[in-house]
């Protein structure tokens, strides 16, 4: 009788989100660069958010993370971080994760694990629910499972 298949994680690959030490205004969005998963064909991602608020934010505030895909390779789902007079276009895609913001001005980290990825180009959108501006970085690592027989 053969042994059952097992699943083992492969080493992850660091991808540039385009959000590194970015100044994110209170209540606004910040849109990252393209991660070409149509070429990479990774199955999962882990996203680490690192931030420091300029002042102490009020309680019960969050940073939201969305993934915006371009199924045809060029036209992305709704959502941007232009911050014009008309405001940011909020994403319509499902929320990927939420990082609770502490009520201090220290540096904080939050990791969102095992996010399934589609085989299309994708951008990370960070939406600030804070009442204070923050300096934010988003680190993305993508990976695949490997079936061992």
């Amino acid at each position: 009788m053969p042994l059952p298949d097992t699943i083992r994680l492969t080493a992850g690959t660091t991808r540039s989100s385009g959000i590194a030490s970015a100044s994110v205004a209170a209540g606004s969005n910040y849109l990252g660069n393209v991660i070409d998963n149509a070429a990479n064909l990774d199955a999962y991602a882990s996203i680490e958010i690192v931030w420091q608020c300029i002042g102490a934010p009020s309680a019960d505030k969050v940073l939201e993370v969305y993934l915006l895909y371009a199924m045809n390779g060029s036209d992305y789902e709704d959502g941007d971080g232009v911050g014009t007079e008309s405001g940011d276009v909020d994403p319509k895609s499902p929320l990927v994760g939420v990082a609770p913001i502490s009520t201090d001005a220290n540096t904080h980290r939050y990791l969102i694990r095992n996010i399934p990825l589609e085989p299309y180009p994708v951008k990370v959108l960070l939406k600030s629910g804070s009442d204070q501006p923050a300096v934010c970085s988003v680190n993305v690592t993508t990976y695949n499972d490997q079936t061992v027989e």
Side-chain angles (χ1 to χ4, degrees):
M1 175 179 230
L3 294 173
D5 293 339
T6 59
I7 296 177
R8 141 181 102 187
L9 290 178
T10 59
T13 302
T14 302
R15 307 286 181 196
S16 174
S17 72
I19 305 173
S21 299
S23 296
V24 180
S28 70
N29 300 344
Y30 200 97
L31 184 63
N33 295 338
V34 176
I35 297 171
D36 190 1
N37 204 46
N40 302 334
L41 296 176
D42 290 312
Y44 299 98
S46 290
I47 298 176
E48 178 188 47
I49 308 164
V50 182
W51 74 93
Q52 181 176 14
C53 291
I54 303 305
S58 302
D60 302 322
K61 303 297 181 187
V62 297
L63 292 170
E64 299 176 357
V65 177
Y66 297 85
L67 294 179
L68 306 180
Y69 288 98
M71 192 169 167
N72 67 359
S74 60
D75 298 318
Y76 287 85
E77 296 176 279
D78 286 349
D80 69 18
V82 295
T84 63
E85 298 81 31
S86 60
D88 297 317
V89 174
D90 283 335
K92 308 295 187 280
S93 63
L95 180 66
V96 171
V98 175
I101 299 175
S102 299
T103 57
D104 60 50
N106 297 328
T107 300
H108 296 278
R109 294 176 178 271
Y110 190 82
L111 182 62
I112 304 166
R113 300 166 180 87
N114 301 321
I115 303 162
L117 292 176
E118 298 292 332
Y120 311 117
V122 62
K123 294 181 180 182
V124 175
L125 185 135
L126 184 65
K127 181 177 179 181
S128 173
S130 178
D131 55 357
Q132 294 292 322
V135 175
C136 302
S137 294
V138 175
N139 304 312
V140 178
T141 301
T142 61
Y143 52 95
N144 289 297
D145 287 341
Q146 179 181 12
T147 302
V148 180
E149 298 183 32

